[in-house]
Amino acid sequence: MTSSKKINRQAVSLFFRKIKEADRIAISGHINPDGDCVGACLGLCTYILDLDPAKKVDIFLEPISEKFRFLKHADKILQEKPDEEPYDLYFSLDCSDPERLGAFREEFEKAEFKICVDHHISNQGFGDLTFIDAEASSTCEILYDIFEEKEISFDTAQCLYLGIVHDTGVFKHSNTTRKVMEIAGVLIEKGVRPDFIIDETFYKKTYIQNQILGRALMESILLLDGKIIFSAIKKKDMDFYGIESGDLDGVIDQLRVTEGVECALFLYEKVEGQFKVSLRSNGNVDVRKIAENFGGGGHVRAAGCTVDGNVRDIVNNITPFIEQQLKQEKSV
Ligand code: 5GP
Ligand code: MN
């Protein structure tokens, strides 16, 4: 017996009616696209094109990691709009607010009909039709609920599985429910190979990526009696190694599993004097609330923000918020 899908039938009918009626469809996700964002965008595109191969579907994302390039239609991803005409239908996937669409927000706003699919608790709802479920592990899980199981091809299944794997940290975060495992089972029956997706897109590292991981761990610093750990990579070091932000995936996870740590911070310098901060919690700190104080967001145990300043000041500004929450000691 499988857990029931959480869907509003009327909303789903409208979702498919709008796809049917639209001549020009666009799909976009958040800046700095992660596995769930890429899986959702390519999964939805593949699903639509499987139903009607003649549909015009454009996907707009910032450049994606090489490791996601094997997914079907990854070669359709654009950064620039090919013409001036607005879209009939525009999907925003895995974005807590329209600003997260970055440069693609303007076109999204111009579209005749906008659909938002997302699982961030902070999402207030935007667009003409919304599918927001903060209990869903991932945007890919919500898409699975919307899709007809029999219409999910192997290629779509690979995308959805990828998104679920990445947002659950390979089926280990607190968002890994019975339903998640059942969906994964259905996707495996569609032909998805867990060993391939998990190793190739999650664990596999290039030699340089391993070196930078080692360096970040070696230079990490414990604060507050070992309850906080942080590490940072400067732009000049990223340039020295010739790496981009995607090469730093996994650093924050390794910091988080350090014994005794309640909250991990990892900073990398996007442009000089500006750092992307990733925050992870082991349960007693709501990192989304902390990230929101710095203009960011995310989930209770995984959040992020972008902050101006130097590493010392940024860490000194963030840690009192963590300390305050730890004093209250309420499990999240
Ligand atoms: P990561 O640290 O892996 O970049 O992000 C962890 C989570 O926080 C993801 O769910 C991501 O969408 C969210 N997140 C990261 N950076 C930001 C940000 O600047 N703004 C918002 N609203 N969410 C963010
Ligand atoms: Mn997500």
Side-chain angles (χ1 to χ4, degrees), residues 290-311:
I290 294 167
E292 280 178 350
N293 284 307
F294 297 88
H299 308 280
V300 276
R301 291 190 182 208
C305 51
T306 296
V307 188
D308 291 337
N310 62 45
V311 174

Side-chain angles (χ1 to χ4, degrees), residues 194-235:
D195 59 336
F196 172 72
I197 303 265
I198 294 171
D199 270 348
E200 289 301 314
T201 73
F202 201 89
Y203 289 117
K204 197 167 166 178
K205 300 249 178 276
T206 63
Y207 179 66
I208 294 290
Q209 287 166 349
N210 267 333
Q211 278 198 314
I212 204 85
L213 169 65
R215 182 173 164 159
L217 297 177
M218 210 149 76
E219 293 179 355
S220 64
I221 293 175
L222 292 171
L223 302 170
L224 206 73
D225 291 334
K227 291 196 174 74
I228 299 175
I229 191 166
F230 83 90
S231 190
I233 299 280
K234 300 252 178 71
K235 182 150 188 344

Side-chain angles (χ1 to χ4, degrees), residues 65-83:
S65 166
E66 276 306 309
K67 64 193 181 192
F68 301 142
R69 288 244 152 235
F70 71 94
L71 293 169
K72 185 132 183 227
H73 299 308
D75 55 343
K76 282 175 71 74
I77 293 174
L78 304 169
Q79 274 88 50
E80 301 280 338
K81 194 157 177 282
D83 54 43

Side-chain angles (χ1 to χ4, degrees), residues 30-32 34 94 96-97 100 119-120 122 167 249 252 270 276-280 291-292 294-299 302-306:
H30 61 76
I31 51 172
N32 221 343
D34 59 11
D94 206 31
S96 50
D97 60 72
R100 295 278 292 154
H119 69 125
H120 291 91
S122 59
D167 265 18
D249 287 354
I252 185 71
K270 279 163 89 169
K276 163 73 203 287
V277 184
S278 283
L279 301 101
R280 298 292 184 271
E292 280 178 350
F294 297 88
H299 308 280
C305 51
T306 296

Side-chain angles (χ1 to χ4, degrees), residues 85-310:
E85 241 186 282
Y87 288 96
D88 302 321
L89 177 59
Y90 206 125
F91 290 93
S92 165
L93 306 183
D94 206 31
C95 293
S96 50
D97 60 72
E99 212 165 292
R100 295 278 292 154
L101 288 165
F104 310 119
R105 179 182 181 171
E106 202 180 319
E107 273 308 314
F108 173 79
E109 304 288 1
K110 278 193 215 160
E112 198 180 304
F113 198 83
K114 307 174 209 28
I115 300 181
C116 165
V117 185
D118 183 40
H119 69 125
H120 291 91
I121 196 165
S122 59
N123 195 318
Q124 311 259 307
F126 58 93
D128 304 302
L129 178 63
T130 58
F131 295 84
I132 298 161
D133 179 3
E135 282 174 20
S137 62
S138 51
T139 299
C140 283
E141 179 179 337
I142 307 175
L143 286 179
Y144 175 88
D145 282 348
I146 296 170
F147 295 170
E148 278 283 342
E149 189 185 310
K150 66 174 184 344
E151 302 292 348
I152 297 175
S153 64
F154 165 70
D155 293 308
T156 303
Q158 288 213 107
C159 295
L160 300 183
Y161 190 87
L162 177 106
I164 291 171
V165 159
H166 279 252
D167 265 18
T168 59
V170 192
F171 307 111
K172 74 173 173 329
H173 296 334
S174 54
N175 57 2
T176 308
T177 58
R178 170 180 174 157
K179 179 174 167 233
V180 163
M181 301 309 276
E182 286 170 351
I183 295 171
V186 172
L187 300 175
I188 289 167
E189 277 181 1
K190 297 272 180 187
V192 170
R193 289 217 2 233
D195 59 336
F196 172 72
I197 303 265
I198 294 171
D199 270 348
E200 289 301 314
T201 73
F202 201 89
Y203 289 117
K204 197 167 166 178
K205 300 249 178 276
T206 63
Y207 179 66
I208 294 290
Q209 287 166 349
N210 267 333
Q211 278 198 314
I212 204 85
L213 169 65
R215 182 173 164 159
L217 297 177
M218 210 149 76
E219 293 179 355
S220 64
I221 293 175
L222 292 171
L223 302 170
L224 206 73
D225 291 334
K227 291 196 174 74
I228 299 175
I229 191 166
F230 83 90
S231 190
I233 299 280
K234 300 252 178 71
K235 182 150 188 344
K236 66 171 175 28
D237 296 318
M238 292 177 69
D239 292 344
F240 174 79
Y241 286 101
I243 56 161
E244 292 170 4
S245 60
D247 296 311
L248 301 166
D249 287 354
V251 175
I252 185 71
D253 274 331
Q254 199 54 46
L255 290 171
R256 181 185 63 81
V257 294
T258 310
E259 196 172 355
V261 160
E262 295 278 1
C263 190
L265 307 177
F266 179 63
L267 294 73
Y268 75 85
E269 199 170 14
K270 279 163 89 169
V271 291
E272 218 176 295
Q274 187 184 69
F275 286 82
K276 163 73 203 287
V277 184
S278 283
L279 301 101
R280 298 292 184 271
S281 158
N282 280 323
N284 290 319
V285 177
D286 180 347
V287 285
R288 179 181 64 85
K289 284 191 188 148
I290 294 167
E292 280 178 350
N293 284 307
F294 297 88
H299 308 280
V300 276
R301 291 190 182 208
C305 51
T306 296
V307 188
D308 291 337
N310 62 45

